[in-house]
Amino acid sequence: MTKKTAPDILRIAVAQLNPTVGDISGNLAKAREARADAGRQGADLVLFTELFLAGYPPEDLVLKPTFLKACERAAQDFANDTADGGPGVIIGTPLKRKSGTHNSIILADGGKILAERYKLDLPNYGEFDEKRVFQAGPELQGPVNFRGVRLGIPICEDIWGDVAVCETLAESGAEILLVPNGSPYYRAKIDVRHQVVIRQVIECGLPIIYANQLGGQDELIFDGASFAIGADKTLAFQMSQFEEAVDVTTWKRTSDGWVCSEGPMSKIPEREEADYRACMLGLRDYVNKNGFKNVVLGLSGGIDSAICAALAVDALGEERLRAVMMPYRYTSKDSLKDAEDCARALGCRYDIVPIFEPVEGFLHTLTQLFEGTKEGITEENLQSRARGTILMAISNKFGSMVVTTGNKSEMSVGYATLYGDMNGGFNPIKDLYKMQVYALSRWRNSHVPPGALGPSGEVIPKNIIDKAPSAELRENQTDQDSLPPYPVLDDILECLVEQEMGVDDIVARGHDRATVTRVEHLLYIAEYKRRQAAPGVKITRKNFGRDRRYPITNRFRDRG
């Protein structure tokens, strides 16, 4: 018998796709389509992302036995497909074994499952909670043989932590490392990923292919941007960000190991474009994956609702957004004009529903109860709650999801009304501070992001960007009546939330101590509101909800 020689060329397709959590049959169909595409491009092997068949993260679905059985059936069916002589596959799926339920991959070729590998390092920080539902692999298993090439297959966190998985695989004879990932987006995350992989390449001396999931899953955005770092520590290929793709890369065996000779080299978006596209993708997937036909939002003439309207049109199309202006006695003529101009620029449906009668009705009903009290925030909030009720009524009547429009600055300090402007199903700007909202609005007026369904040109009227922000709940009101200027507020909040800095350190940056302690106090006492807020896109390293879990009942204050 003639001994089969190892190949000198290996064509590896990276399937950077958008699965849906729990849609096992749909994810399998997507995987089959991608494998067929890769086969037509001449691929030998297709690398899918972490837990692809289940969707990532599946959270407590993993605790459901029928879910695990359905995932394993899909994995076996996909393995059976490889009997057709086409590409082999590496695909992620949960697997229940004697050692526990594992975050796993299977390698299949020739109609058979050739190997299983289990994730060793389970992340349990920030947005990750895998130790709740998975057990770590019982031990590090060595490379797998695929058509004569020894592949190491660590899974996501296995290359992020301190466990020497890559180095051990290299010592066990691996020639290339292929890493399926479910790495969520935050600003500048691509640079972090590159540095993680470069560090591992230095340790193990092998090229590493990093395949990352795409798509929105509740608050999390998976931005794709799959890539490889060669053994020489240079970028071997770079796939696009925020776009599905099945790209075939060609690897050649040389005297110095495997080298990528062909692959994409996509341009990665700059900061504002990346944030905007993340918000757009998150809104689109939340609406579409949850089966909403259209959305509705309150268009006030302010910048937050304007950018949310632009995101909705870009994500879903003008025909799927209904914008509603709900004026009261304090609504300025500028706001009426600005809201109409914004809706006209975006091409969406625009309705005007005055709230004078319902607000006056509430006030009349409460006259006796409120007798002898001073008019103030309570009466202002009635306006917001009347608007929230109208939007929810439209949602109930027409099946439209309400898009809520509060930014992170407001949510941080409680400058929002429960059961009023906080009403809604999803908030695309929940993790953007106010000054970031301004920056993205200016960027959108000069650019149309790839995949956007909205028009070019100025979609957020200049007057909305230039005028002083106001809730318009009383005469001549501006946000700065109650809050520090937004550049000051945002910097203090970033120090408190993202960096967990103490008051003394924030004051040392040049901020007034009384202002800092007041903002800290407002941040803590608004926790109960945030617990009742709609989910929204994660943009920063530490969003409210998954990343920052402070108690509602909390008497701690930093007094040095």
Side-chain angles (χ1 to χ4, degrees), residues 318-378:
E318 62 186 45
E319 72 283 356
R320 296 178 68 185
L321 170 65
R322 180 200 292 248
V324 184
M325 159 56 89
M326 293 167 282
Y328 186 56
R329 65 175 69 191
Y330 304 121
T331 303
S332 67
K333 291 181 179 179
D334 274 354
S335 291
L336 284 164
K337 182 178 186 302
D338 291 341
E340 184 177 359
D341 288 348
C342 183
R344 184 181 294 113
L346 290 167
C348 63
R349 175 168 176 170
Y350 178 67
D351 297 307
I352 299 177
V353 181
I355 63 167
F356 182 83
E357 289 186 5
V359 172
E360 295 300 313
F362 279 127
L363 291 173
H364 178 74
T365 300
L366 293 165
T367 298
Q368 189 172 348
L369 266 176
F370 287 2
E371 188 176 358
T373 65
K374 186 178 180 181
E375 188 172 307
I377 291 175
T378 300

Side-chain angles (χ1 to χ4, degrees), residues 50-51 56-59 102-104 118-137 154-163 180-184 189 210 220 222 546-547 549:
E50 183 175 11
L51 290 178
Y56 187 79
E59 301 186 274
H102 300 298
N103 181 334
S104 315
Y118 313 130
K119 191 173 184 176
L120 292 174
D121 194 358
L122 300 178
N124 199 47
Y125 58 86
E127 65 266 39
F128 301 111
D129 200 9
E130 288 195 28
K131 288 183 179 180
R132 174 183 171 85
V133 295
F134 288 116
Q135 286 74 52
I155 302 172
C156 200
E157 193 72 13
D158 289 344
I159 73 166
W160 284 75
D162 296 326
V163 181
N181 291 269
S183 176
K189 183 72 169 288
Y210 187 106
L220 300 180
F222 298 92
R546 282 183 175 270
D547 296 329
R549 308 181 193 184

